[in-house]
Amino acid sequence: MPPLTTAQRAALADSGCEVRFDDLSRTLYATDASIYRVEPAAVALPRSTSEAAAVVRAAAATGLTITPRGAGTGLAGGAVGEGLVMDLARHNREISELDLEQRTVKVGAGVVLDGLNAALRPHGLWFGPDVATSSRATLGGMIGNNSSGAHAPVYGTTVDHVRALEVVLADGTVAEIGVGCGDLCEIREGVDRIVAQRAGVISERMPPGMVKSWPGYGLDNCMRNPGDLSRVVCGSEGTLAVVTSAVLDVVPLPQRRTLGVLFFDSVAEAMGAAVEIADLEPAAIEHVDRLLLDQTRGQLAFGRARSLLGLDEDPCEALLLVEFFEEPEGGFSELADRRLGRRRLLCRDRDQQELVWSVRRAGLNLLTSCRGPGKPIAGIEDVCVRPERLPEYVAGLREILDRLGLEASFYGHAGSGELHVRPTLDLHRADDLARLREVADDVSELALRFRGSLAAEHGVGIARTEYIADHLGPELVAANHEIKDLFDPEGVMNPGKILDVGRFKIDRDLRLGVGSDLVLPFVPQLGFVDRDRSFVGNLEQCNGCGGCLKEAPTMCPTFIAVGDEIQSTRGRANTIRAALEGRFEGGALGSRELDEALSDCLSCKACRTECPSNVDLAQLKAELLHACHRANGVALVDRVVAAADLLGRLGTWLPWLANVASGSTLGRRLAQRLVGFNPDRPLPRFASRRFDRWFRTRRMHGSDAWRGPVVLWDDTWVRYHEPRVGRAAVKVLEGLGFEVRLATGRRCCGRPAFSRGFVAESRRLGSHNVALLTTRHADLPVVFLEPSCWSMFVDEYRQLGIPGAEELAGRCVLFEDLIADVLESEPDALALRGGGARIVIHDHCHAKALRRADRAATLAERIPESSVALLESGCCGMAGAFGMLEEKDELSRKVARQLVEMLEQLPGDARVVASGISCRHQIRHLTGIDPLHIAELVAECLDLDA
């Protein structure tokens, strides 16, 4: 599309709606969760229906097309377009008019499904269609695609729960449509007439009995519900109107849920069993195969689920999740009596059920996280047939895949007759691109043969528009065109989708295609050893699924705080790729857009674990900062932050003078002018006596060290700033029978340097430390008090390829983990006294990303007569020096807001525990609370006389 004219820009800007024209915004909205990339001319972010109407009028008047967009989680490319992309997820999040008697609620188009259900849960209600992307899917997007989910046999699709819609037409008209709504009389009469004229063809082409939806404009629904235009708009993918709000029906939460898991030796056997148990009328029958299950191996987030399912001890080729909503247990009991599969697991416990469902919900994202350039590709994944014919359909599909030499995973809604089958293809290669075309053509014909729906819940979008004419036939295609003309006579709304005008094809407009191989302008330094073993491989793991858009901690903390796409892991990954492709001014490593993507990333590591594809932004950021330093030079602030250990040594020579200087107005203003520190932020104070010097003259606690020696890593912060934490740790370790040693001659772990992109310096420091600990302290456990230092040893040193780092990582342990493990096997090993304390724990981001998050709480629970709560908090927002910088202060506080609100609600006698120095610093400054390290808490309660 040609660039916007001055008149077009002015018209959009004058609409009163926020409209962005910059290269970064257009890049961020050029992709979604599909394989497609179409760059828009501009992006609008309306805050209200009136703003949406005004910008639609302005766009239409200047000849711009409009593509409505929710969270961008669609798989078919329905939310990308060339004109104006309208982001309805950024705002429009009001939940109102909850009517408990009628069981209805009004929602803005940007309301996220999980958010709606959280608001409904206290009333015993929820929204029935439960899409797997519920943590970020918006109701507006679900209405656009007529989404459903695992429980479609009970709840149907989204359209079955819509009472009324508020819509904006292509000319800016605002109307309310739905049951009993009187707006748009001419269009209502026209649609009813069009449908009535084709009633016989609709019944023949769209016969009843399909659990999911048919593609196109919901003609079957319109025929059953004359006069209700919501039936035609729901599922129209923004090609008829912009949905700005909706009145929805909600339903009671199931009072009792039971889940049976059946394990099989083949997909075919599982398909047969799914048909056999349909007579039990379960609420859901979901299928998961080995290819998907294998992707959970080694992933921290799925470790407990794998253990529960016994996947390592007794692997299988396929499993069925069979869920019942009932009281008493009828169908569940009968399922238990039937001898199906090689083994079974019966889950009545809700926590166990949630573990199993977590694997299924992450299915798509787990699949696309497979290593290597070949990825499971969407395009044929949305076919639905009648459930009883699913085994035959799967057999036919298997023949097509085998003939083309394609591997694919089969997972999804077996109870509804729909499996999401995604063949693994490398779209960088011409031969695989040709196979995408061939498999799509063949599957379209197969779906026709089974009289199935080609687009049952993911939408038609770009991927399937070219096939829709074959599936609807000429009469229904004509009906769709006539309906489109009634709503949108100028073809403004999301053109080229559903109704084929030749613009889009399944194998064109690809995000990654032939010739898209990325050539890096630098030599990578990191190994990405846990995933793809390459910078490009890890970057391309981002499939746009939007898992980083979820509203719950921890990933991605800046997006949770601000809500802008650029603040998400997905947004940063897309920006990095665009920068390296040379799409921005300033070159691959010198653009303002790349700096924006990197500088606000907190390197919290949450994406390393919480992103199902394990896109590791912290590693990507460090690699790019290193390359930018070499290309553009190094800022003073980076050198100062990287030298934290040196500054600690200098500051503790004359600590009283250093503290006076750093705490004075003059000192703070100097730090502001030279390195950009916020003068309102207190700098860490220097200790009057260094921890390592205290250690050499300390009095040992306990009579002997019968457990043997451990090395206590006295990090920069413990040694120079908070030696009391180290002293507390020594007291506890010696009280437990350990001989505590320090790593004499140690150097800074390199975390401050790594955080500012000094990768070579981090490798130098790491090589020294690894050599020290593998020679002088071979085989000894190394105990860490600061989680960010521990993570350098167990993660970054390995990524840096330092010899011996892998072996050493296995000996590195956080203080709280070591003590908790000892007490788990020997509960009486440490005499603790209580006092009725209320203990509240905020865990460090790096600790949560690399091991179970409940270890500190497990340890604190050993303190008698105390109550312990692990906060469901995200990042504190300090992130090393990030929160100290004046230009980042506002964002740091926004990230911390959730944590601060939690802490401000605590009673005055609560003891707050935070093991990260940055966390303690942030909490102390923003709340006035003086938090403890977990070692300090345990040391306070240690009864040495017991």
Side-chain angles (χ1 to χ4, degrees):
M1 183 174 181
L4 294 181
T5 65
T6 301
Q8 286 174 316
R9 284 175 174 258
L12 293 172
D14 291 344
S15 68
C17 175
E18 180 185 357
V19 181
R20 299 178 181 177
F21 305 99
D22 60 283
D23 291 342
L24 177 56
S25 294
R26 292 188 292 110
T27 293
L28 293 173
Y29 286 88
T31 60
D32 56 6
S34 72
I35 60 175
Y36 302 104
R37 184 183 191 280
V38 181
E39 188 168 293
V43 178
L45 299 97
R47 292 179 174 272
S48 64
T49 299
S50 60
E51 284 192 8
V55 80
V56 166
R57 280 193 297 273
T62 58
L64 275 178
T65 61
I66 299 159
T67 301
R69 175 183 173 117
T73 60
L75 299 175
V80 294
E82 293 170 316
L84 179 71
V85 167
M86 184 180 295
D87 180 357
L88 294 150
R90 178 70 178 85
H91 307 294
N92 310 290
R93 296 196 166 202
E94 184 178 4
I95 301 172
S96 61
E97 299 181 23
L98 174 61
D99 187 327
L100 296 178
E101 184 176 338
Q102 295 295 318
R103 289 180 181 163
T104 61
V105 65
K106 185 175 183 180
V107 298
V111 170
V112 173
L113 179 57
D114 275 357
L116 173 61
N117 284 334
L120 295 173
R121 193 172 297 115
H123 306 287
L125 301 170
W126 73 332
F127 186 71
D130 53 339
V131 295
T133 54
S134 62
S135 64
R136 62 269 192 198
T138 64
L139 270 300
M142 292 178 64
I143 290 166
N145 276 357
N146 192 18
S147 302
S148 46
H151 298 102
V154 176
Y155 298 120
T157 64
T158 296
V159 71
D160 300 315
H161 302 262
V162 171
R163 283 283 185 99
L165 300 175
E166 183 181 55
V167 299
V168 178
L169 300 189
D171 62 358
T173 298
V174 177
E176 186 174 5
I177 60 175
V179 179
C181 298
D183 291 353
L184 306 181
C185 293
E186 290 185 11
I187 295 178
R188 273 191 288 120
E189 292 170 0
V191 170
D192 286 349
R193 182 178 62 255
I194 292 165
V195 171
Q197 289 171 350
R198 275 88 168 189
V201 183
I202 293 171
S203 297
E204 193 276 328
R205 286 275 183 175
M206 300 177 170
M210 182 66 67
V211 179
K212 302 282 183 172
S213 62
W214 296 97
Y217 290 150
L219 301 177
D220 57 327
N221 255 309
C222 292
M223 188 171 67
R224 292 191 294 269
N225 299 274
D228 183 357
L229 286 180
S230 71
R231 301 289 166 155
V232 72
V233 170
C234 192
S236 65
E237 303 177 40
T239 63
L240 299 181
V242 178
V243 175
T244 55
S245 69
V247 177
L248 305 173
D249 289 321
V250 293
V251 295
L253 279 164
Q255 293 301 302
R256 181 184 182 87
R257 304 175 73 159
T258 48
L259 179 68
V261 186
L262 308 178
F263 300 79
F264 300 92
D265 290 323
S266 71
V267 171
E269 185 184 358
M271 292 299 97
V275 174
E276 183 178 340
I277 60 180
D279 65 305
L280 301 179
E281 299 184 353
I285 308 175
E286 294 290 292
H287 178 261
V288 182
D289 70 357
R290 180 184 55 79
L291 286 177
L292 190 152
L293 294 172
D294 284 351
Q295 290 302 112
T296 64
R297 186 177 291 116
Q299 292 223 40
L300 180 65
F302 300 103
R304 292 173 61 208
R306 286 189 63 86
S307 176
L308 175 65
L309 293 170
L311 297 179
D312 295 314
E313 304 87 345
D314 191 1
C316 64
E317 290 298 311
L319 56 81
L320 291 178
L321 280 55
V322 187
E323 186 170 49
F324 295 90
F325 297 166
E326 56 184 15
E327 181 67 46
E329 286 189 356
F332 183 70
S333 299
E334 190 168 342
L335 176 71
D337 292 337
R338 295 191 182 184
R339 299 299 177 185
L340 296 171
R342 59 183 298 166
R343 61 186 177 93
R344 61 192 173 179
L345 172 69
L346 303 178
C347 302
R348 291 179 174 85
D349 180 78
R350 191 73 187 105
D351 290 338
Q352 287 187 342
Q353 294 172 26
E354 182 57 29
L355 282 177
V356 176
W357 277 112
S358 70
V359 176
R360 168 59 191 91
R361 281 196 298 269
L364 165 62
N365 308 318
L366 283 168
L367 281 177
T368 54
S369 70
C370 62
R371 295 182 180 178
K375 303 295 181 187
I377 299 299
I380 65 168
E381 87 296 342
D382 204 23
V383 175
C384 182
V385 299
R386 280 166 177 73
E388 65 272 14
R389 301 204 68 188
L390 188 59
E392 299 171 75
Y393 172 77
V394 168
L397 182 53
R398 185 71 267 173
E399 289 180 12
I400 293 172
L401 296 170
D402 289 345
R403 175 169 49 80
L404 295 173
L406 294 173
E407 184 181 60
S409 174
F410 291 68
Y411 77 97
H413 316 301
S416 299
E418 179 177 27
L419 293 187
H420 300 314
V421 181
R422 297 169 64 107
T424 299
L425 295 161
D426 179 3
L427 297 184
H428 300 87
R429 296 170 39 186
D431 58 339
D432 269 12
L433 188 56
R435 288 200 289 177
L436 172 62
R437 159 63 57 190
E438 193 169 353
V439 73
D441 290 349
D442 289 351
V443 169
S444 177
E445 292 179 8
L446 183 68
L448 277 170
R449 195 158 72 241
F450 278 85
R451 301 189 71 190
S453 172
L454 188 67
E457 65 176 6
H458 292 168
V460 175
I462 292 174
R464 287 175 275 272
T465 286
E466 64 180 289
Y467 299 106
I468 294 304
D470 291 337
H471 286 259
L472 295 183
E475 289 191 63
L476 297 191
V477 168
N480 277 272
H481 274 286
E482 292 172 25
I483 291 173
K484 171 77 168 175
D485 289 341
L486 286 172
F487 278 89
D488 180 24
E490 301 301 321
V492 169
M493 303 302 303
N494 208 3
K497 318 286 176 58
I498 296 180
L499 299 175
D500 189 12
V501 296
R503 168 62 183 88
F504 295 117
K505 301 292 181 183
I506 191 172
D507 51 1
R508 294 202 314 230
D509 296 292
L510 299 175
R511 178 163 38 144
L512 301 176
V514 178
S516 67
D517 300 85
L518 198 57
V519 178
L520 298 179
F522 57 86
V523 177
Q525 301 295 306
L526 302 174
F528 296 91
V529 297
D530 295 313
R531 209 64 182 129
D532 312 279
R533 299 192 176 274
S534 81
F535 177 97
V536 174
N538 192 253
L539 180 63
E540 291 188 352
Q541 284 288 10
C542 180
N543 53 63
C545 72
C548 46
L549 307 184
K550 63 184 181 179
E551 298 178 320
T554 303
M555 183 185 72
C556 178
T558 51
F559 180 82
I560 294 170
V562 178
D564 265 341
E565 180 76 13
I566 184 57
Q567 299 290 357
S568 68
T569 305
R570 177 176 76 177
R572 292 190 173 100
N574 283 335
T575 304
I576 290 168
R577 180 167 189 99
L580 295 177
E581 289 174 338
R583 297 182 183 272
F584 304 128
E585 292 184 11
L589 298 175
S591 69
R592 175 191 61 80
E593 290 83 359
L594 180 63
D595 179 68
E596 185 172 348
L598 299 181
S599 66
D600 285 345
C601 172
L602 303 178
S603 297
C604 68
K605 288 183 177 286
C607 51
R608 188 186 189 279
T609 300
E610 292 193 32
C611 171
S613 299
N614 303 132
V615 176
D616 195 335
L617 237 299
Q619 307 291 347
L620 294 171
K621 174 186 175 181
E623 189 83 83
L624 285 163
L625 289 179
H626 174 79
C628 288
H629 289 336
R630 295 176 67 88
N632 309 320
V634 182
L636 178 60
V637 62
D638 295 322
R639 295 190 186 279
V640 170
V641 173
D645 197 76
L646 173 61
L647 294 174
R649 290 202 304 273
L650 295 175
T652 50
W653 279 354
L654 292 172
W656 64 270
L657 180 61
N659 287 328
V660 169
S662 64
S664 68
T665 301
L666 178 62
R668 292 186 183 189
R669 291 298 178 190
L670 187 62
Q672 178 189 30
R673 181 176 294 275
L674 292 178
V675 295
F677 281 175
N678 184 350
D680 296 329
R681 288 278 195 175
L683 294 168
R685 292 183 60 79
F686 296 99
S688 59
R689 189 183 189 192
R690 287 170 37 162
F691 170 72
D692 56 330
R693 292 173 181 168
W694 167 86
F695 184 83
R696 289 196 294 267
T697 60
R698 78 198 187 287
R699 181 178 66 84
M700 289 187 64
H701 297 281
S703 58
D704 59 8
W706 61 273
R707 290 188 191 274
V710 296
V711 177
L712 179 64
W713 186 261
D714 62 320
D715 58 78
T716 296
W717 314 110
V718 165
R719 176 176 285 192
Y720 304 120
H721 299 282
E722 294 190 354
R724 68 177 190 275
V725 174
R727 293 196 296 267
V730 170
K731 179 180 178 181
V732 174
L733 288 168
E734 291 183 343
L736 202 52
F738 287 107
E739 175 195 345
V740 181
R741 301 177 182 177
L742 298 190
T744 305
R746 75 99 175 111
R747 294 178 184 168
C748 175
C749 70
R751 170 60 65 197
F754 194 84
S755 71
R756 309 307 292 186
F758 293 100
V759 174
E761 173 67 2
S762 301
R763 180 181 287 109
R764 184 185 68 81
L765 294 169
S767 296
H768 171 87
N769 290 331
V770 172
L772 176 70
L773 292 171
T774 53
T775 53
R776 297 187 194 176
H777 304 284
D779 301 326
L780 296 184
V782 185
V783 183
F784 290 82
L785 298 168
E786 172 54 45
S788 63
C789 298
W790 167 75
S791 67
M792 279 298 293
F793 278 77
V794 300
D795 191 7
E796 275 79 7
Y797 284 5
R798 296 167 51 248
Q799 308 293 346
L800 289 164
I802 297 173
E806 190 75 42
E807 180 276 331
L808 177 59
R811 295 194 279 124
C812 295
V813 61
L814 283 170
F815 170 86
E816 53 264 45
D817 294 2
L818 174 67
I819 307 304
D821 287 344
V822 171
L823 296 182
E824 187 172 353
S825 58
E826 302 174 53
D828 299 324
L830 202 61
L832 298 173
R833 57 176 180 267
R838 189 189 306 261
I839 301 167
V840 178
I841 298 173
H842 166 71
D843 207 12
H844 191 280
C845 291
H846 288 195
K848 286 190 285 189
L850 299 174
R851 59 86 158 115
R852 283 174 50 190
D854 62 351
R855 304 305 290 148
T858 299
L859 173 55
E861 286 168 354
R862 296 285 179 183
I863 299 173
E865 302 174 20
S866 297
S867 64
V868 180
L870 178 63
L871 292 178
E872 293 185 12
S873 53
C875 182
C876 73
M878 179 55 74
F882 180 90
M884 299 296 299
L885 299 174
E886 189 171 31
E887 65 173 349
K888 303 300 182 185
D889 181 69
E890 182 180 1
L891 179 57
S892 173
R893 291 171 184 267
K894 286 181 178 179
V895 171
R897 185 183 300 141
Q898 179 200 49
L899 172 61
V900 169
E901 289 174 354
M902 289 180 177
L903 294 176
E904 287 178 341
Q905 293 173 9
L906 296 176
D909 63 344
R911 310 299 303 278
V912 176
V913 173
S915 289
I917 178 70
S918 293
C919 306
R920 295 196 296 278
H921 195 84
Q922 181 84 311
I923 291 170
R924 193 174 294 120
H925 181 228
L926 297 185
T927 70
I929 296 171
D930 191 15
L932 300 172
H933 188 284
I934 186 67
E936 295 179 281
L937 177 72
V938 177
E940 282 184 5
C941 301
L942 190 61
D943 188 355
L944 295 178
D945 298 325

